[in-house]
Amino acid sequence: STIEDQIAVRKELRSRFPQRPWIDVISKADLPRHVNEIKRVEEAVSPDLALSVSVITLEGMEDLNERYSIAFDRTSQIHRKHTEYEQH
């Protein structure tokens, strides 16, 4: 899919689930990117917060694992609170 399509899907999901933990990941960091492509992505997501990753070079994979663990913990906490609320 095009970058524009991916950005549109991201915006839609973020608007539907604003309280959910979120990780912006830019894949294939090992491949060269066109300047316009980089600019469009940076306009849509904060480049300081987005992770560039490559499964080929393993760039960013450790950071992704750390952020995933944090997001999973947050999601688990939300689920536990929701479950506790429903049980009372």
Side-chain angles (χ1 to χ4, degrees), residues 10 18 22 26 31 34 36 43 45-46 49-52 62 67 69 72 77 79 81-82:
R10 178 196 182 275
W22 189 269
I26 301 169
L31 298 178
H34 191 273
N36 290 337
E43 288 171 354
V45 302
S46 172
L49 300 177
L51 288 174
S52 291
E62 188 173 321
R67 288 200 198 174
S69 293
F72 182 79
Q77 290 171 359
H79 179 70
K81 286 179 184 177
H82 182 72

Side-chain angles (χ1 to χ4, degrees), residues 2 4 7-8 10 13 16 23 37 45-46 50 53-54 60 65 71 81-82 84-85 88:
T2 67
E4 288 77 14
I7 290 169
R10 178 196 182 275
L13 290 172
R16 286 187 185 188
I23 304 170
E37 189 175 282
V45 302
S46 172
V53 299
S54 168
N65 284 333
K81 286 179 184 177
H82 182 72
E84 290 171 4
Y85 176 78
H88 288 102

Side-chain angles (χ1 to χ4, degrees), residues 13-14 16-23 71 74-75 78-79:
L13 290 172
R14 289 299 291 150
R16 286 187 185 188
F17 306 103
Q19 301 301 316
R20 296 287 182 178
W22 189 269
I23 304 170
R74 287 183 188 157
T75 303
I78 292 168
H79 179 70

